[in-house]
Amino acid sequence: MSIYERTVFEPGEVGIIEGLPMEAYRAAPGVAESDLQTLLRSPAEFNRGDRKPATEEMEFGTLFHSLLFAGAAEFHITPETYQGAESQKKDAPMVAKPWNWNATACKEWGAAHQDKPIIPCAGPHSAAWLEAMAAKVRAHPIAKDLLSRLTPEISVFARHPDYPTLVKGRLDGLIRGDVNL
């Protein structure tokens, strides 16, 4: 199988492509594993192009993946507090209150930060957890060695000679040559 390095998908191309952005991979023709899962679950959903929306856990996993393999993950962190009125009285002074997604100020902040995933500042699925997880993996001697030789985000396109359907997959990474564990 041929290995290419490029940022666009060439129609009809088969092989391994390094450097293809995720958006280009998703836009490229071909049937992926997630498409086959949808087809098995519901042929009607597959036919309509319905896809499961990402869960909080899936989005956190994607951020971890980006941080570990690409060295960076883009997200917004919810503040710990927001400025809210001390009471319901008119002209009540503004005070710092614990973050609460039900508060109008917090909802407005969230609406203004939809360009990237939003994660909490503390607790489960937080920025602190994300950094700690990546640090633990990078500190492991075997993982550190493998990550140092890994080419991340590899797109694979193939076609069986007896079937016309293009299939595609996305590997977290590829290490060329021998792996000494």
Side-chain angles (χ1 to χ4, degrees):
M1 186 170 270
S2 300
I3 298 178
Y4 308 97
E5 188 169 333
R6 60 175 57 117
T7 58
V8 296
F9 176 78
E10 300 292 333
E13 184 171 50
V14 295
I16 299 169
I17 304 176
E18 297 176 357
L20 189 68
M22 179 59 91
E23 298 78 32
Y25 166 77
R26 288 194 175 151
V31 176
E33 186 267 345
S34 59
D35 297 322
L36 296 175
Q37 283 185 1
T38 302
L39 178 62
L40 287 172
R41 187 179 65 253
S42 170
E45 285 180 27
F46 176 81
N47 193 42
R48 288 190 307 265
D50 292 352
R51 299 297 178 263
K52 280 186 176 179
T55 64
E56 179 183 337
E57 290 78 13
M58 292 167 69
E59 288 180 358
F60 188 77
T62 299
L63 291 174
F64 174 69
H65 182 226
S66 297
L67 184 60
L68 186 63
F69 293 117
E74 293 188 9
F75 52 87
H76 294 292
I77 302 171
T78 57
E80 291 182 31
T81 61
Y82 71 98
Q83 292 297 311
E86 186 174 350
S87 70
Q88 298 292 332
K89 294 179 183 177
K90 188 176 181 180
D91 299 326
M94 300 297 273
V95 296
K97 292 185 165 188
W99 191 262
N100 177 346
W101 281 109
N102 291 325
T104 301
C106 299
K107 289 177 184 177
E108 289 171 352
W109 183 92
H113 291 83
Q114 290 299 307
D115 60 321
K116 299 175 190 166
I118 298 172
I119 61 175
C121 59
H125 299 124
S126 67
W129 273 33
L130 196 61
E131 293 290 344
M133 289 168 50
K136 287 273 190 188
V137 173
R138 288 188 198 114
H140 190 282
I142 295 173
K144 182 178 179 177
D145 176 57
L146 292 172
L147 287 169
S148 73
R149 296 183 286 128
L150 183 85
T151 302
E153 302 303 335
I154 303 297
S155 299
V156 180
F157 295 87
R159 192 182 310 273
H160 190 280
D162 295 339
Y163 304 100
T165 303
L166 182 68
V167 294
K168 64 182 182 178
R170 183 90 166 172
L171 308 177
D172 287 337
L174 178 68
I175 296 174
R176 295 188 194 179
D178 295 336
V179 175
N180 299 316
L181 299 178

